[in-house]
Amino acid sequence: MTPRLATARLVLRARVPDDAEALFAAMGDAAAMTWWSHAPAESVAALRERFIARDDGVWRSWAITRAGDDVAIGFVAAGERRAGVVEIGYLLVPAAQGRGYAREAVGAVIDRLFTEGYRRVFADTDPDNAGSNRLLESLGFRREGLLRAEWETHIGVRDTILWGLLRDEWRVERPSRQGQRPGSLGGSS
């Protein structure tokens, strides 16, 4: 189950196939999908099919919406890799980028994951994906390694940076979150 989460500016809710309409602005765009492991979706219908297949019981996915507006502007996904360890991924539509929404949404999901008892959250990014690498670093993730020629993607064979964050580090370093009320993260089930 994907619990609803709320921050000062955002509501994160379970992603549904109909979100494909709004998210096609990112997931159908070659520039927005440059750093993903797969090419952009060819159509809204193809993206909708991918959404249905992705929610497989291993991955949970939250649609990011602005408070008071249920239109998806992005998503955060979390997939358990082994007991206590979860991987995250995220994407915003281009029109919503540069406003701190990704940081706010990813922070809310991290809070939830650690509250649920996970001990480690990790992400992998392309070394050339400067925006995502800055985001993870700003949230307290530590660069743990570089895997050479890890991914064969639509733009060629790519290296990946592994980023990790431990529950105890999140509690101690708790990054400040612009525009959020204290205690506003974590949501309800």
Side-chain angles (χ1 to χ4, degrees), residues 91-188:
L91 184 67
L92 283 180
V93 298
Q97 294 175 3
R99 298 184 180 136
Y101 292 144
R103 188 173 199 280
E104 193 171 329
V106 172
V109 171
I110 291 169
D111 271 348
R112 179 64 188 211
L113 295 169
F114 286 145
T115 298
E116 290 176 357
Y118 288 97
R119 69 175 183 276
R120 173 181 160 73
V121 175
F122 78 94
D124 74 287
T125 62
D126 190 290
D128 292 332
N129 187 347
S132 191
N133 291 325
R134 275 193 309 272
L135 171 67
L136 292 168
E137 193 168 36
S138 78
L139 287 166
F141 281 77
R142 294 185 187 178
R143 182 180 167 153
E144 297 180 332
L146 175 73
L147 300 177
R148 297 175 299 145
E150 175 69 3
W151 291 101
E152 187 167 348
T153 76
H154 58 290
I155 62 170
V157 175
R158 304 296 298 175
D159 296 346
T160 193
I161 297 174
L162 290 178
W163 295 92
L165 179 65
L166 303 179
R167 182 177 46 228
D168 292 342
E169 293 167 345
W170 183 250
R171 288 181 181 157
V172 171
E173 297 176 16
R174 199 43 85 73
S176 66
R177 294 180 180 86
Q178 177 182 350
Q180 294 183 359
R181 301 179 310 265
S184 66
L185 298 180
S188 61

